[in-house]
Amino acid sequence: AVEAARPYMPTVIPMVLQCMVYSRMELNMIGGKANDWQEVDKPEDIKPRHYQGRSRDFHHEDEDEDGQDDDGDTDWNLRRSAASTLDNISQVYGDAILNQALGTINTMMQPDQPWESQEAAILALGAICEGCYDGLKPYMAQIIQRLINVANDESYHHLARQICCWSIGQMNEFVLEKSNSSLLQQYLTTILTLMKAPTKSVQESATAALQRLLEAASNSYDNEDSLKYEGCMQAVVETCSACLVNYQLKNQQLLLECIENVCSYYGTELAHGETFSLLMGPLGKLWGETPDSSPLIFAYFECMASICNAFGKAISDYAESIFNRTVSIILTHTHFRFTAKQQDGDIPDEEYLITALDLLSSLFDAMGASLEPLLKQQPQLMDCILQSMRDDSPDIQKAAFALIGDLSGSCPALVQSNLDNVCNLMLARLKDVDERRSGAASNVCWALSVLIEHQMDIGNMPTLSAGHYDAFLTTMAMLLVEANFTTDMVNLAENLCLAIGCILLVDPQCLQRKGASLGFFASRWCEYVRNIKNVPLKDRALRGFLATAQADPSTLVDALLPLFDVCASVMHDAASDMKSGIKSLLQTLKNNAGPQWQVAIGKSRPETKQKLHVAYGV
């Protein structure tokens, strides 16, 4: 069918592009003035978002499934259908249709053409970017420069200017390359300028473009620092601060989500200089003015959680207010949900609990044990957290287990005083795992790892016992070996491995008591641990694994290939004693594994073999 349709592409492509031109009816339906920034939005105009709770991991970023990755239209119409068709054609035929498409686009973009045709041509450039990326790349600098010029030219219709943001965003990979730094700075300046435009739809497109650019930079291995040139962070923060004051409700919601990306990308760098006051000035005003019933409250709580993560203890002046408000919502909505289920009534929106639990979790992560006096004033809070851990909603469970993890790190006494209840709920979640519940199970594993490290053995306070460790290790090892981990469940697999390693570190006899062998799960353990960033938790987990392996190295004979990758992954960051332990273990395996060692070495990647030789002499 693909080859049969190929001869018709010279006819089909111009027809498709014409269908992308706004009709009079569509323009009348869109409405929108060039100067409407002061027109107040109605609460029903706010697009619902589904907040899922945050994952605690060391490898993958949370993904926003509701992210702005379209051309600004929200209704499925002829224009959107045509743009999608052009995208699909470019995916199927690739660069083979590029000349035909660019010829038509160039004709439609001529100055004597109506603005509607020029706008459709700009949309078409974005639509073919992915499918024709290689063929377009030699011309991308010129294309992007032309679109930047259109976006900055106030003589163009505002719909043409705003679509430039989306189409350039389709080329973010190119823009972020180090060789295009000048182009990137021009593009970012354009985005920040358009965010302050007097047209709400232009503000929306520019804010979404900044969000996409920050996400692309965060996910770029080679160019992750592209937006950290001198003055960049300050300009971004100043613009976000100014827009928080002037945006109406709908764009405020998008801007709050964009500020989450700003916090995620720049992290603790934001805590220096005047950036904190720039953001917290308008955010603090919103905090006081936004009622709990506002449709903005969920996005606002999620944004404040990111602020806490980025600014840490600098948030201290707001800590008591944040704590009291979030706890109030948790207490109220836990009661509402319980009562509704008992009476078979309407269950309240789960987003209230999810976002409040997330914000409280981030606050504890930022402020640590300094919040203990506030905790003592809320004796009902732990019961509500336990109830949330039992909730039918996987996303509420996910947020509740994340909060248990942050409490374990900052105020472990509260968790330990409810230890058996917490452990029983953790084990119950690990025994019933599917893709939908994997986020909650992943946070269980992370929380257990944190509790193992930070629990306090003082007085009569309960601590994790051999019985707890036996139950967790048995359940986790079975899950690690037997589960079919999809792409969306990788975080769970990684956190499972880290928790298993932490158990082995503090209770080396655990496997022996159960009559089990490290070889039962060693191969899968190594397969997932090799991809985790070298963070302190990975160090502790690997130490536990290696200590167990050194007691009986033969258990690793069938896991040599992924073991090599794990050892190579830590060669630069491991402490000298760990390197010595790895070297000793590898040498023992080499001397005793015989042909299996040679087979595994033969299958290893050349760079892995080189690292093993340089770091460990094998």
Side-chain angles (χ1 to χ4, degrees), residues 47-53 64-66 350-351 354 393 395:
K47 179 182 176 182
R49 300 286 206 272
H50 178 56
Y51 296 92
Q52 298 179 323
D64 179 10
E65 294 182 358
D66 296 313
E350 63 182 30
E351 277 79 6
I354 293 168
S393 164
D395 294 324

Side-chain angles (χ1 to χ4, degrees), residues 26-101:
E26 287 169 333
L27 289 173
N28 288 333
M29 290 175 65
I30 291 173
K33 305 171 187 174
N35 195 336
D36 62 353
W37 67 278
Q38 290 180 307
E39 293 183 8
V40 178
D41 292 335
K42 299 174 184 176
E44 55 265 29
D45 292 334
I46 299 297
K47 179 182 176 182
R49 300 286 206 272
H50 178 56
Y51 296 92
Q52 298 179 323
R54 300 186 177 201
S55 294
R56 298 303 193 267
D57 67 89
F58 303 96
H59 187 56
H60 306 278
E61 294 292 329
D62 289 340
E63 295 180 4
D64 179 10
E65 294 182 358
D66 296 313
Q68 297 284 328
D69 195 18
D70 53 53
D71 62 8
D73 291 338
T74 56
D75 296 321
W76 195 256
N77 50 31
L78 178 62
R79 167 190 165 84
R80 283 178 64 84
S81 299
S84 177
T85 299
L86 183 60
D87 181 12
N88 290 334
I89 288 172
S90 71
Q91 297 281 356
V92 171
Y93 295 103
D95 293 341
I97 58 100
L98 189 57
N99 288 337
Q100 179 63 58

Side-chain angles (χ1 to χ4, degrees), residues 332-345:
T332 301
H333 279 267
T334 304
H335 174 70
F336 284 167
R337 288 180 70 81
F338 179 78
T339 303
K341 290 173 185 177
Q342 290 286 322
Q343 300 176 357
D344 200 23

Side-chain angles (χ1 to χ4, degrees), residues 269-374:
E269 295 176 45
L270 288 166
H272 305 293
E274 61 179 8
T275 50
F276 179 75
S277 57
L278 276 171
L279 279 176
M280 282 310 300
L283 282 173
K285 189 170 184 289
L286 269 180
W287 181 259
E289 294 177 350
T290 306
D292 293 347
S293 58
S294 168
L296 201 64
I297 196 66
F298 305 139
Y300 188 55
F301 272 27
E302 289 291 274
C303 177
M304 288 298 290
S306 295
I307 290 286
C308 289
N309 291 334
F311 287 102
K313 292 190 183 299
I315 201 80
S316 59
D317 288 347
Y318 299 85
E320 185 171 357
S321 174
I322 294 171
F323 179 88
N324 288 333
R325 187 172 188 177
T326 52
V327 169
S328 174
I329 288 178
I330 291 168
L331 298 180
T332 301
H333 279 267
T334 304
H335 174 70
F336 284 167
R337 288 180 70 81
F338 179 78
T339 303
K341 290 173 185 177
Q342 290 286 322
Q343 300 176 357
D344 200 23
D346 293 333
I347 298 176
D349 289 338
E350 63 182 30
E351 277 79 6
Y352 280 103
L353 268 179
I354 293 168
T355 56
L357 289 165
D358 269 348
L359 177 50
L360 190 59
S361 186
S362 295
L363 184 64
F364 274 103
D365 188 42
M367 298 303 300
S370 65
L371 295 178
E372 277 194 291
L374 295 177

Side-chain angles (χ1 to χ4, degrees), residues 11 13 72 100 141 214 419 475 567:
T11 303
I13 289 173
Q100 179 63 58
L214 288 163
L419 190 61
T475 303
C567 296

